[in-house]
Amino acid sequence: MSFDARDHAHMALALRLARRGLNTTDPNPRVGCVIADGDRLVGAGWHEAAGAAHAEIAAMNDAAEPVRGMTAYVTLEPCAFHGRTPPCADALVEAGIGRVIIAVEDPHPRVAGKGLQRLRDAGIAVDSGLMPTEAERLNPGYLKRMRTGRPWVRIKSAVSLDGRIGLANGDSKWITGEAARQDVQRWRARSSAILTGIGTVLADDPRMTARVSGPVRQPARVVVDSAWRIPPDSHLLAEEGDVLVAGIGGPPEALAQGDAQCLVLPAGPGGVALPELLEELGRRELNEVQVEAGSRLCGALLSGGLVDELVLYVAPVLLGDGGPGPFAFGPLESMDDRAHFKVQDTLRLGDDIRIHLRPGPGPNHPRT
């Protein structure tokens, strides 16, 4: 199906609307919808939060006139089942929409083409595949979780020019400047969870909250803690949002009876089995997991092929010998075993540079 400039303009607006729910829709996807009569915009809306009106309903509510015979541009296939809200596909049919254009199909097992089929069965013209790359980038975690059962894993790290994340004595505050640290908060705000290791908790006692302006659903904090060593007075246990502690064997009674949720998982190489942890996080409907951890946990995720993207902040400083790097794995025996990444974009933030990367290309890059 070919789409014209008008179609692209309407879908681009729907995608911009969907981004308004970037920090609030979990565990649902971010979705936008535009209803148009030719060039004329009639209604527009987006999904704001789980339990709130879906984008299609919001757009129809925004319309000041009947939408019969008009075209709906939706960034994700309309749902076909009754969850927290009724099916959007049925609502479009009842409204008499004449055509529906979507960016990507929804891989949710209760949708997965059923929404489109319901529309077609009602005589509505349906086309898909308009601006799919942009729509996929908007919902990497939701789409991956629906397809694989695991969340999208993003590692965030701040490094010096000589590749250190701290000094030999453990001091790491602050490598980057204020602009970079504020950017980290924006990545946190869109994440379902922040994942760290017990070493980081014991060394830094972080809060791991998203400190941004505007509405935000605080991410869960997940601590990989094989031996259940997390102190009961840790800052992250006192903050808003869920706390999950993943360990091996039975947790101490005091921890089990506290506010944290204890995840008893099998052992893997070096500690908690990380694939099983990610599968459990997927079952708990966590879409995007941001890893803010030391070199051991980050290295284990990387060498296990469990990383979907890296966000590296490079500061124009040198930290000298003895400090750790961002990833502890190897040693490698051949240059052919290098972990390859492709740069998605770079951004100057004050004196620092943010590099956004995803696995590949290369013969042996980590795969998810």
Side-chain angles (χ1 to χ4, degrees):
M1 177 63 193
S2 61
F3 301 103
D4 59 23
R6 177 179 61 192
D7 294 328
H8 279 84
H10 288 318
M11 186 61 80
L13 174 57
L15 287 163
R16 291 196 298 273
L17 290 169
R19 285 193 64 85
R20 296 187 182 183
L22 192 67
N23 301 341
T24 59
T25 63
D26 259 30
N28 291 355
R30 301 128 182 170
V31 184
C33 177
V34 164
I35 297 175
D37 183 13
D39 290 324
R40 188 168 63 94
L41 176 65
V42 176
W46 70 96
H47 181 48
E48 296 184 22
H54 284 194
E56 299 92 327
I57 308 303
M60 287 190 286
N61 290 341
D62 182 60
E65 61 186 274
V67 298
R68 182 168 297 277
M70 297 183 186
T71 299
Y73 296 82
V74 193
T75 59
L76 187 68
E77 177 182 359
C79 62
F81 67 95
H82 198 301
R84 295 181 179 91
T85 59
C88 293
D90 288 353
L92 292 169
V93 171
E94 292 170 7
I97 284 287
R99 184 186 183 197
V100 175
I101 297 176
I102 68 165
V104 291
E105 296 186 19
D106 189 342
H108 192 297
R110 297 179 68 185
V111 184
K114 299 180 182 69
L116 300 186
Q117 189 59 51
R118 187 168 300 183
L119 297 173
R120 292 188 176 107
D121 290 345
I124 297 174
V126 176
D127 295 299
S128 63
L130 175 58
M131 304 179 72
T133 300
E134 294 85 343
E136 290 263 354
R137 287 174 179 166
L138 189 62
N139 285 299
Y142 172 82
L143 295 173
K144 183 186 176 187
R145 180 168 66 85
M146 289 299 121
R147 290 166 178 160
T148 70
R150 294 180 182 176
W152 183 267
V153 177
R154 173 192 312 117
I155 289 182
K156 183 280 299 182
S157 189
V159 301
S160 64
L161 289 176
D162 50 352
R164 312 295 184 188
I165 61 172
L167 301 178
N169 64 9
D171 188 9
S172 61
K173 293 182 179 180
W174 295 100
I175 294 175
T176 56
E178 180 63 24
R181 298 200 297 274
Q182 284 300 313
D183 191 64
V184 171
Q185 297 301 322
R186 289 187 283 272
W187 284 101
R188 283 184 178 184
R190 65 173 289 167
S191 301
S192 310
I194 310 298
L195 175 67
T196 193
I198 185 60
T200 298
V201 174
L202 295 175
D204 300 335
D205 194 19
R207 297 182 184 275
M208 293 194 165
T209 54
R211 298 180 287 278
V212 295
S213 60
V216 62
R217 173 209 37 76
Q218 284 296 334
R221 274 92 65 206
V222 184
V223 182
V224 179
D225 182 12
S226 300
W228 312 103
R229 293 186 293 152
I230 186 168
D233 59 349
S234 297
H235 279 138
L236 59 81
L237 291 174
E239 294 291 341
E240 175 189 351
D242 293 336
V243 178
L244 311 176
V245 182
I248 302 169
E253 183 177 353
L255 182 61
Q257 293 181 351
D259 293 332
Q261 302 175 47
C262 297
L263 308 181
V264 179
L265 295 171
V272 169
L274 297 176
E276 285 79 356
L277 171 59
L278 294 179
E279 288 164 10
E280 177 61 27
L281 299 184
R283 284 190 289 270
R284 291 171 178 262
E285 297 187 313
L286 299 178
N287 292 331
E288 295 182 27
V289 173
Q290 179 152 309
V291 182
E292 300 187 19
S295 57
R296 284 187 58 202
L297 180 53
C298 290
L301 288 164
L302 183 66
S303 60
L306 302 173
V307 178
D308 296 292
E309 66 182 350
L310 306 179
V311 177
L312 298 183
Y313 298 87
V314 182
V317 298
L318 298 171
L319 299 185
D321 292 341
F327 306 103
F329 69 98
L332 304 181
E333 296 182 357
S334 168
M335 290 295 282
D336 291 336
D337 295 330
R338 292 172 296 173
H340 291 259
F341 290 85
K342 183 175 178 61
V343 175
Q344 303 297 301
D345 59 68
T346 60
L347 179 66
R348 177 81 175 264
L349 294 163
D351 290 332
D352 308 314
I353 296 175
R354 186 190 76 192
I355 309 175
H356 182 203
L357 310 102
R358 291 187 178 175
N364 295 300
H365 63 269
R367 299 182 183 276
T368 56

